[in-house]
Amino acid sequence: MQDTSPKAPPPSSSSARAERQYLLRFISGKYQGGEFPLTSGRVVVIGRSSDLDMVLVEDMVSRKHACITMQADGIWIEDLGSTNGTFVNGEKVKRASLKEGDRVLIGTSILKLAASDGLGDSTDVNRQLENVAAARRTSQARSMSGSIEEVPLPDLLQLFHTSKKNGILVIRTEDDVGKIYLRKGEVVFAVINDAEGVTPLKSIYRMLTWSRGNFDLDPPDDRTFPTEVNLSVQEILMEGIRHLDEFNRIRAELPSLTARVVLDMPLKVKFRDLSGDELDTLELVIQYGRLDVVLNKSDKIDAETLEAVLKMIKLGYLRTER
């Protein structure tokens, strides 16, 4: 028999949004891995004082640092006159609206606003956070660490620049270890695998192409470097993202960066058809063979060198060896 009983109307999009639940997920810092559920209408006061809603026990957090409220017109964060400031997506804010995926920096903690399934335990959240912190202390984890899949390197540099961090940002992938030296939030030097002869800017631009790995903020190193970076973080990111776009455009066609590249003999093409820059790259390939060494030796950025190599492979000047 057909059911003719009245059906409830589907919920409107506005009511669905209102009923959606959210949480703050700690993706870096002392409490990394912890979560704090948000409740509609409740003001969550964050700070170092033990009587607050979210207690973050660290020196860079003020006694009453910030508050977050989920209300009908959205989720809002407000700085409460903190000493070191509150940051949203790298920007220092007094009051700002939050949307899903936004990252908040308070002290050394980076929190990400995420949707919640509503099944988490909202009782005694501070005790749960302290348990997370205690477990990290036991594992000897650094005070500020995380994944560059969660917090991409451009976002990290922006966050650290705005909050004037000092230290060594260490990024570890399966194959490489990169280090970026920060002084009051500015990049002063960078190196990959402690390799000599690769400029700091080339090292930074190469690290910006990394999409997987973990990061730690190590204590500052006060040494001076023979060649320091003289660009602002904003200039580095603008130029670096341009290089990243060029790299991504050809990424799928590239051989492995550890591949050997050799002249495709016998040559069926003429050297005179290559530009001066392409001939320079060809000379490096003949001299060093391995693609990653060619990148290190080239005075061009990686994307330009790789594009020249790829062009010469397609035209028949070069081939890769397995």
Side-chain angles (χ1 to χ4, degrees), residues 8 35 42 61 64 76 163 211 245 320:
E35 295 181 345
R42 177 189 176 190
V61 175
K64 282 191 176 181
W76 294 86
S163 55
S211 57
D245 289 342
T320 58

Side-chain angles (χ1 to χ4, degrees), residues 86-141:
T86 301
F87 302 85
V88 176
N89 298 329
E91 296 294 327
K92 190 173 185 178
V93 300
K94 176 59 181 173
R95 186 172 186 268
S97 174
L98 297 178
K99 63 182 183 300
E100 188 175 343
D102 281 350
R103 299 176 181 90
V104 177
L105 175 66
I106 295 177
T108 65
S109 291
I110 302 176
L111 302 89
K112 182 178 181 180
L113 182 66
S116 167
D117 57 14
L119 300 178
D121 183 5
S122 61
T123 62
D124 208 356
V125 178
N126 283 319
R127 181 180 295 277
Q128 296 174 36
L129 292 180
E130 282 306 317
N131 289 340
V132 169
R136 285 179 57 77
R137 284 195 298 273
T138 301
S139 65
Q140 298 182 334

Side-chain angles (χ1 to χ4, degrees), residues 8-66:
S12 68
S13 59
S14 59
S15 64
R17 282 196 299 270
E19 293 170 1
R20 193 168 189 186
Q21 299 184 59
Y22 292 90
L23 55 77
L24 293 166
R25 178 174 295 126
F26 288 78
I27 59 176
S28 176
K30 178 179 178 179
Y31 303 97
Q32 182 184 345
E35 295 181 345
F36 193 104
L38 298 178
T39 304
S40 181
R42 177 189 176 190
V43 178
V44 177
V45 182
I46 305 165
R48 203 172 66 245
S49 181
S50 60
D51 59 346
L52 301 182
D53 305 291
M54 184 192 295
V55 181
L56 304 181
V57 184
E58 56 172 288
D59 293 341
M60 292 187 66
V61 175
S62 297
R63 288 183 61 78
K64 282 191 176 181
H65 196 106

Side-chain angles (χ1 to χ4, degrees), residues 136-157:
R136 285 179 57 77
R137 284 195 298 273
T138 301
S139 65
Q140 298 182 334
R142 290 169 172 83
S143 62
M144 195 162 195
S145 61
S147 162
I148 59 173
E149 293 173 84
E150 282 276 18
V151 195
L153 184 53
D155 293 359
L156 274 177
L157 290 177

Side-chain angles (χ1 to χ4, degrees), residues 60-230:
M60 292 187 66
V61 175
S62 297
R63 288 183 61 78
K64 282 191 176 181
H65 196 106
C67 66
I68 295 179
T69 311
M70 187 165 74
Q71 49 197 45
D73 62 346
I75 300 173
W76 294 86
I77 186 167
E78 181 177 356
D79 185 80
L80 300 178
S82 67
T83 301
N84 292 300
T86 301
F87 302 85
V88 176
N89 298 329
E91 296 294 327
K92 190 173 185 178
V93 300
K94 176 59 181 173
R95 186 172 186 268
S97 174
L98 297 178
K99 63 182 183 300
E100 188 175 343
D102 281 350
R103 299 176 181 90
V104 177
L105 175 66
I106 295 177
T108 65
S109 291
I110 302 176
L111 302 89
K112 182 178 181 180
L113 182 66
S116 167
D117 57 14
L119 300 178
D121 183 5
S122 61
T123 62
D124 208 356
V125 178
N126 283 319
R127 181 180 295 277
Q128 296 174 36
L129 292 180
E130 282 306 317
N131 289 340
V132 169
R136 285 179 57 77
R137 284 195 298 273
T138 301
S139 65
Q140 298 182 334
R142 290 169 172 83
S143 62
M144 195 162 195
S145 61
S147 162
I148 59 173
E149 293 173 84
E150 282 276 18
V151 195
L153 184 53
D155 293 359
L156 274 177
L157 290 177
Q158 183 66 51
L159 284 169
F160 293 162
H161 168 66
T162 314
S163 55
K164 301 186 184 303
K165 296 287 187 192
N166 292 304
I168 307 169
L169 177 58
V170 183
I171 304 102
R172 294 177 174 85
T173 71
E174 288 186 0
D175 303 311
D176 301 294
V177 177
K179 298 177 182 177
I180 299 176
Y181 293 77
L182 300 170
R183 190 181 299 152
K184 293 184 178 178
E186 296 292 345
V187 174
V188 295
F189 191 72
V191 65
I192 296 174
N193 299 330
D194 294 323
E196 297 180 357
V198 182
T199 66
L201 278 176
K202 181 184 280 193
S203 296
I204 294 172
Y205 296 152
R206 189 177 298 173
M207 283 185 255
L208 287 172
T209 68
W210 296 352
S211 57
R212 295 178 181 273
N214 297 310
F215 71 85
D216 298 291
L217 186 64
D218 284 358
D221 186 330
D222 295 330
R223 81 174 91 169
T224 57
F225 301 96
T227 306
E228 292 198 352
V229 175
N230 57 8

Side-chain angles (χ1 to χ4, degrees), residues 219-289:
D221 186 330
D222 295 330
R223 81 174 91 169
T224 57
F225 301 96
T227 306
E228 292 198 352
V229 175
N230 57 8
L231 296 180
S232 70
V233 167
Q234 294 300 336
E235 290 171 319
I236 290 170
L237 291 179
M238 287 179 64
E239 187 66 7
I241 289 171
R242 181 181 73 82
H243 297 169
L244 178 59
D245 289 342
E246 293 177 8
F247 177 79
N248 284 335
R249 180 171 54 82
I250 60 174
R251 184 196 293 261
E253 301 177 86
L254 292 173
S256 165
L257 297 185
T258 58
R260 287 193 58 81
V261 185
V262 298
L263 282 174
D264 191 4
M265 300 295 289
L267 276 176
K268 305 178 184 66
V269 285
K270 305 295 185 183
F271 287 159
R272 65 170 177 261
D273 295 332
L274 298 176
S275 69
D277 285 345
E278 289 164 351
L279 284 171
D280 289 343
T281 302
L282 181 61
E283 182 181 346
L284 291 173
V285 171
I286 293 171
Q287 187 171 0
Y288 297 106

